[in-house]
Amino acid sequence: MWGGRFASGPAEIMEEINASIGFDKRLAPQDIRGSLAHVAMLGAAGILPHGDVAAIQDGLKTVAEEIETGRFEFRRELEDIHMAVESRLTEIVGPAAGRLHTARSRNDQVATDMKLWVRDTLDGLDAQAAELQRALAEKALAHATTVMPGFTHLQSAQPVTFGHHCLAYVEMLARDRGRFRDARARLNECPLGAAALAGTSFPIDRHATAQALGFDRPTANSLDSVADRDFALESLSAASICAVHLSRFAEELVIWTSAQFNFVKLSDGYTTGSSIMPQKRNPDAAELVRAKSGRVIGALTGLLIVMKGLPLAYSKDMQEDKEGTFDALQALSLCLAAMTGMVRDLEPNPDILARAAGSGYATATDLADWLVRELGLPFREAHHVTGRLVGAASAKGVGLEELPLSEMQAAEPRITQAVYAVLGVENSVSSRTSHGGTAPDNVRAQATRWLDALGASGA
């Protein structure tokens, strides 16, 4: 490739640091799609004779078939996927293969390949996130009345339902899917035809290649076209936020499956045992989901650092966009699949959840609200009265619902027997009927709405 300018080949260490074929070979389908669109445009524009166009198209299809069937030899000395495909194409069709690179550069070629790969991957992640949403919404509908403790600071706060908790992650995933789709929409401009950095003097039709590859339009500035990796950064950012959401849920599963909590049980399919302790059931799938968020976030950070000091246009530094992006987005795909499986298989322990929901004076806010609603106390005064009653119950080692009425009235004489109706956890969750609240009717309605919206296709 460098024969016209260089008298000798690269040093061994140069080949070691420069070659990308070991990881960019996964761009082969996208590279061939881009080449097919490019050569078709060259023919339609009269830049290449139709005989060469047909030969190149047939040769590219042969190369694609060899790659798909595992018969293609990826040779390291050819440096990258672009030269690997072109070299094999030359072996198949002869000198006409050299015309394929007319009016393009590896700079716009790799930018196009990467956009196609990221776009395909975002579509897959969106579909996987929809599957996880569906699994969570189904679990929410099944457990709309299953009471559990809600936490702040990992301390028991107020009772909620298990279904309500599941729906919180449905909402998070909805935002994740919105970010995936936003990133996809912004990246959907085609760099092909920007050439090395300045465009080309050939009368190419960039709109035709953009349309052939499913892009909305060609990119507007040739310098930006080859220097841009915003699409990878934005996709990694969306992936990082999604990975954080999955990690938070995974952490809850790790806590909930411990013997001390025993809130839920994971199936054998998503747990492992111990080589020395026969009683152990370890939530390894959840732990690995939690850990892999670091890989995704790390890839985003790494690429930000690569890009931060690069002048326009292309620099070889940008070759470092691939491995991290490939690894991160595929790690997220694996995490989404694992979490979907865990959600479908997990079973809550309703009795344990209900007991935990009533612990820690979780209905204290209900008592304060009752004092405001029924007795007309300002909330701050009701808060102080409730605090005194919690202290009295704690001193006696009983729950608020077990505190005698006489002791209640010692703190606030106007309290009546009716107060006990709000102190049960079931009553508490049923009363939370405000929009977005945990009342079972709310949960059923929201779960049903989500299942209807997701439909069979996860749209």
Side-chain angles (χ1 to χ4, degrees):
M1 178 169 54
W2 314 118
R5 170 67 177 82
F6 290 78
S8 62
E12 183 177 348
I13 194 66
M14 178 59 186
E15 184 175 311
E16 180 74 21
I17 196 172
N18 191 48
S20 60
I21 190 65
F23 49 85
D24 70 13
K25 62 185 179 183
R26 75 177 63 196
L27 293 174
Q30 289 79 19
D31 194 71
I32 292 171
R33 281 166 61 192
S35 290
L36 285 168
H38 183 67
V39 75
M41 179 276 296
L42 292 175
I47 298 170
L48 292 190
H50 291 299
D52 286 350
V53 171
I56 290 169
Q57 288 173 329
D58 289 344
L60 285 169
K61 291 171 185 176
T62 298
V63 174
E65 192 271 335
E66 289 178 354
I67 291 172
E68 289 169 6
T69 57
R71 294 184 289 115
F72 188 91
E73 181 185 1
F74 293 97
R75 291 155 47 199
R76 183 170 182 171
E77 67 270 18
L78 293 172
E79 188 179 318
D80 59 32
I81 187 58
H82 320 300
M83 298 312 299
V85 170
E86 185 174 325
S87 175
R88 178 61 182 136
L89 181 65
T90 301
E91 293 172 353
I92 295 170
V93 306
R99 299 184 185 278
L100 173 60
H101 212 51
T102 303
R104 75 174 184 185
S105 161
R106 287 190 300 170
N107 294 355
D108 62 334
Q109 190 178 357
V110 70
T112 303
D113 290 0
M114 276 295 286
K115 279 196 170 186
L116 289 171
W117 187 90
V118 170
R119 188 178 71 183
D120 292 344
T121 302
L122 287 175
D123 289 343
L125 292 172
D126 182 42
Q128 285 188 284
E131 277 300 306
L132 179 51
Q133 283 184 296
R134 186 179 297 105
L136 285 161
E138 289 169 352
K139 196 67 69 173
L141 191 59
H143 291 280
T145 61
T146 301
V147 177
M148 68 172 289
F151 296 96
T152 60
H153 309 278
L154 203 55
Q155 306 295 312
S156 184
Q158 292 177 271
V160 295
T161 67
F162 190 81
H164 192 59
H165 200 105
C166 290
L167 288 175
Y169 286 100
V170 174
E171 296 292 333
M172 292 184 210
L173 287 160
R175 296 193 296 274
D176 292 327
R177 294 181 64 202
R179 280 182 281 268
F180 293 151
R181 293 181 177 189
D182 287 347
R184 189 197 195 282
R186 250 182 299 280
L187 73 76
N188 210 34
E189 296 181 342
C190 184
L192 196 58
L197 77 161
T200 177
S201 59
F202 288 96
I204 61 173
D205 184 350
R206 293 190 61 209
H207 290 276
T209 48
Q211 183 178 20
L213 293 170
F215 289 102
D216 295 331
R217 64 192 70 85
T219 50
N221 182 282
S222 61
L223 285 167
D224 180 55
S225 300
V226 298
D228 166 43
R229 289 300 182 270
D230 290 4
F231 64 92
L233 289 168
E234 186 173 8
S235 299
L236 288 171
S237 177
S240 295
I241 297 170
C242 183
V244 167
H245 290 157
L246 298 184
S247 183
R248 295 180 72 179
F249 193 20
E251 169 70 2
E252 290 184 323
L253 292 179
V254 171
I255 293 170
W256 291 352
T257 55
S258 67
Q260 290 75 20
F261 275 74
N262 197 24
F263 282 3
V264 302
K265 181 179 179 181
L266 287 174
S267 70
D268 291 350
Y270 293 93
T271 55
T272 66
S274 165
S275 63
I276 190 172
M277 295 170 285
Q279 82 281 9
K280 294 294 294 297
R281 179 193 286 270
N282 298 322
D284 283 7
E287 291 172 2
L288 288 167
V289 167
R290 183 178 60 186
K292 285 183 185 295
S293 62
R295 297 171 73 125
V296 182
I297 297 165
L300 170 61
T301 304
L303 185 54
L304 284 167
I305 293 169
V306 166
M307 297 300 297
K308 72 174 181 61
L310 298 186
L312 297 181
Y314 180 84
S315 296
K316 194 70 169 184
D317 311 51
M318 292 163 66
Q319 182 170 291
E320 291 297 310
D321 65 343
K322 295 174 189 63
E323 287 180 282
T325 302
F326 293 156
D327 179 75
L329 298 188
Q330 291 189 330
L332 181 61
S333 175
L334 180 59
C335 289
L336 284 164
M339 188 60 78
T340 302
M342 282 187 281
V343 168
R344 292 199 188 281
D345 281 8
L346 70 82
E347 289 299 332
N349 294 321
D351 293 341
I352 293 172
L353 287 169
R355 284 198 299 272
S359 66
Y361 305 101
T363 58
T365 305
D366 296 277
L367 173 55
D369 288 346
W370 186 91
L371 293 171
V372 171
R373 187 172 57 251
E374 300 299 326
L375 304 185
L377 268 65
F379 183 80
R380 285 301 168 204
E381 184 179 344
H383 187 283
H384 291 312
V385 170
T386 301
R388 291 197 296 272
L389 291 173
V390 168
S394 178
K396 295 174 69 73
V398 299
L400 281 171
E401 70 279 5
E402 299 172 287
L403 203 61
L405 180 60
S406 59
E407 296 198 33
M408 293 260 195
Q409 291 173 334
E412 169 50 61
R414 291 178 291 164
I415 294 177
T416 68
Q417 189 73 30
V419 74
Y420 292 99
V422 303
L423 297 181
V425 291
E426 287 80 8
N427 291 333
S428 174
V429 297
S430 295
S431 72
R432 305 292 172 182
T433 56
S434 60
H435 183 77
T438 191
D441 286 346
N442 286 14
V443 173
R444 290 190 195 94
Q446 288 295 330
T448 301
R449 179 183 68 82
W450 270 114
L451 290 170
D452 289 344
L454 290 163
S457 64

